[in-house]
């Protein structure tokens, strides 16, 4: 029998195993950007959201290749993941503890 451990808490998973598959990819082609696009507010939004992603360390702007992640999760971490897929609570806690 295959043995799995939870990718989040590291505990071994007895029977109830959950799998999260995440694919992260740019939703635009950087080669296709024109000057008109650069004037566009929506590009600014894209840039902002990319910066946000970059600040969490999950996304590097230079790497425009789609990235795929796969996590095995125990039932407890699965529930936590569903409640906060982007780990925003954890990011907020980190920001607070910096000072
Ligand atoms: Zn877990």
């Amino acid at each position: 029998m295959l043995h799995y451990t939870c990718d989040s808490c590291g505990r071994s998973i007895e029977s109830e195993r959950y799998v999260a598959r995440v694919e992260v990819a740019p939703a635009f082609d950087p080669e296709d950007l024109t000057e008109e696009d650069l004037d566009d507010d929506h590009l600014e939004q894209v840039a902002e959201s990319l910066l946000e992603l970059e600040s969490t360390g999950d996304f590097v702007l230079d790497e425009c290749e789609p990235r795929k992640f796969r996590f095995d999760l125990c039932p407890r971490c699965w529930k936590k993941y569903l409640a906060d897929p982007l780990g925003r609570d954890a990011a907020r806690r980190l920001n607070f503890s910096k000072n």
Side-chain angles (χ1 to χ4, degrees), residues 6 8-11 73-74 76-77:
C6 173
S8 179
C9 68
R11 282 188 207 124
L73 297 173
C74 69
R76 246 184 82 203
C77 294

